[in-house]
Amino acid sequence: MADPTPDPTELTGLVQLADATAAEVRAYLSSVTEVATGRMDSTALSVLLLAVSQTLVTGARLGAVDDIVPARRFEPDAGPDPDVDPVRASLANVLEGLDDYADVVDPLTNAKLVRGALSDDLASVAADLEHGLRHHERGDVTEALWWWQFSYLSSWGLRATAALRVLQSLLAHLRLDVDAETASDAEFDALHP
């Protein structure tokens, strides 16, 4: 029979992972909330690209570790679900004209195209991350890690990945799509210093 006492090294590693994840979650929530205020203007897409990218690194770390199994067989009540609708609506306003995109249901099992919305993705990720953060703030490390890992694999990882692709595409179009005359002038200037 296995010893039910957790290995102190393993427990320390889980606490460190949970603390690092919580810090990244707070950074993501802060960035998305700040962009939603509408005060960022031209830096908003870059800030979102960085926030989503960093959050996906955190998620990949969670996805790479063995399944985290909490001691209890049920999730303790973390309180009411976070109300991300105001952030979602504000992001939709900030991203007006850029929000909607074509998405694939599942690239492996269902290649059907559906409508996606960047504001929906960013807010959905925020809701999942905040749910785990409430467990962490109550000191329930394994429950927080379980929630973040499970929801990364089942929902927020997919939504964040879609958001990242859209943000990268938006930035590429904004920076690379220039009219022919501007491109010709830049090419001439580069070739004739």
Side-chain angles (χ1 to χ4, degrees):
M1 185 165 163
D3 181 6
T5 308
D7 175 11
T9 306
E10 183 180 330
L11 188 57
T12 299
L14 289 177
V15 169
Q16 290 172 342
L17 178 59
D19 291 347
T21 302
E24 292 297 339
V25 166
R26 287 185 193 98
Y28 176 84
L29 295 173
S30 176
S31 295
V32 168
T33 302
E34 183 61 28
V35 169
T37 67
R39 295 187 300 248
M40 296 194 93
D41 299 330
S42 64
T43 62
L45 292 178
S46 297
V47 167
L48 289 174
L49 179 72
L50 290 168
V52 171
S53 295
Q54 190 60 43
T55 300
L56 280 168
V57 170
T58 299
R61 193 175 302 120
L62 292 166
V65 300
D66 288 339
D67 288 347
I68 298 164
V69 180
R72 292 181 297 273
R73 297 188 60 80
F74 62 91
E75 179 184 7
D77 185 11
D81 288 334
D83 183 12
V84 296
D85 286 335
V87 170
R88 182 188 323 273
S90 294
L91 286 168
N93 286 335
V94 168
L95 299 167
E96 186 176 356
L98 306 172
D99 199 24
D100 293 336
Y101 67 91
D103 195 13
V104 175
V105 173
D106 185 315
L108 295 177
T109 63
N110 186 350
K112 178 182 174 190
L113 285 179
V114 295
R115 175 200 168 273
L118 191 53
S119 59
D120 290 345
D121 293 340
L122 297 169
S124 177
V125 170
D128 283 343
L129 293 175
E130 189 174 331
H131 184 92
L133 186 60
R134 288 185 303 191
H135 287 301
H136 182 268
E137 289 173 345
R138 280 198 336 260
D140 199 341
V141 171
T142 55
E143 190 66 41
L145 284 172
W146 176 86
W147 175 260
W148 285 322
Q149 184 184 55
F150 167 77
S151 60
Y152 167 73
L153 295 170
S154 66
S155 62
W156 76 259
L158 300 171
R159 298 299 10 117
T161 300
L164 180 65
R165 184 163 189 218
V166 171
L167 289 164
Q168 191 279 331
S169 183
L170 284 169
L171 284 171
H173 284 292
L174 288 172
R175 294 190 179 151
L176 300 177
D177 294 352
V178 295
D179 63 73
E181 184 179 337
T182 302
S184 177
D185 290 346
E187 183 178 353
F188 181 82
D189 291 344
L191 295 173
H192 302 93

